[in-house]
Amino acid sequence: EIYTLSLHDALPISGGDWHAYRAEAPVVSGQVVGGTLPSFRTLSGTRWMPVTAGAILVIEAFMDTFDDVDRALTHMRLAGVFDGVAALVIGAPAGWEREDAPDTGTDELILRCVPDRGFPVITNVDFGHAARKIQLPLGCRVEFDLSGGRQVLRYLEDLVVA
């Protein structure tokens, strides 16, 4: 028996507190690939690393320090994880301990560590361990409309669950 969850017909989700950086194209789309920051760092450079080229890469990082995030994102950059991604989406809340980091905030840290290669970086998106969360199903095609004053997430296909 197959159940179809119709996300394609779902209403668009507006990003109230999302922050979009490096958004050169008004709309980006791709298949959702993601996980936690420690998991992606561990998989980087191995045969088990998912293909990220063309993907909307969603990363959740919680309860880490700025130093941990800096090392993980730099490792991923050097391993080529960000090469060809359509967009990078970082989950909220990013309650990372600042300690003595040179960055003034989480967004500054992310932008310093992630290469500027023509893909948008969207931060403060509620998914994963957030109290109120949106659904970003792995493998589902989505688009982020970054053209207006408020970012919008749309599902481009239905999610099929067996």
Side-chain angles (χ1 to χ4, degrees):
E1 196 171 332
I2 296 179
Y3 301 95
T4 301
L5 176 59
S6 182
L7 294 178
H8 186 295
D9 297 326
L11 294 175
I13 298 170
S14 294
D17 294 328
W18 301 351
H19 308 144
Y21 302 96
R22 304 175 182 165
E24 297 170 13
V27 177
V28 295
S29 63
Q31 184 178 32
V32 175
V33 173
T36 65
L37 187 59
S39 296
F40 260 78
R41 180 179 186 194
T42 301
L43 292 174
S44 297
T46 72
R47 64 180 177 190
W48 296 282
M49 179 67 189
V51 174
T52 57
I56 303 290
L57 179 58
V58 297
I59 300 289
E60 178 190 18
F62 58 97
M63 296 172 41
D64 290 308
T65 66
F66 271 43
D67 199 37
D68 294 332
V69 174
D70 187 335
R71 278 193 305 273
L73 290 176
T74 299
H75 175 96
M76 292 168 60
R77 176 176 45 87
L78 294 173
V81 172
F82 302 117
D83 295 351
V85 299
L88 173 64
V89 180
I90 303 286
W96 307 326
E97 294 177 31
R98 187 169 176 271
E99 296 175 339
D100 60 350
D103 307 292
T104 58
T106 57
D107 288 2
E108 184 179 328
L109 168 65
I110 293 163
L111 294 172
R112 179 175 54 79
C113 295
V114 173
D116 187 356
R117 297 213 177 112
F119 61 85
V121 176
I122 307 164
T123 64
N124 205 41
V125 179
D126 292 321
F127 67 91
H129 284 81
R132 295 181 49 155
K133 55 187 140 241
I134 63 171
Q135 300 302 312
L136 284 166
L138 298 181
C140 184
R141 288 189 47 78
V142 299
E143 78 176 8
F144 281 90
D145 184 340
L146 308 171
S147 61
R150 174 172 259 188
Q151 300 81 25
V152 176
L153 166 67
R154 291 185 191 91
Y155 300 100
L156 299 180
E157 62 186 13
D158 293 338
L159 179 66
V160 178
V161 180

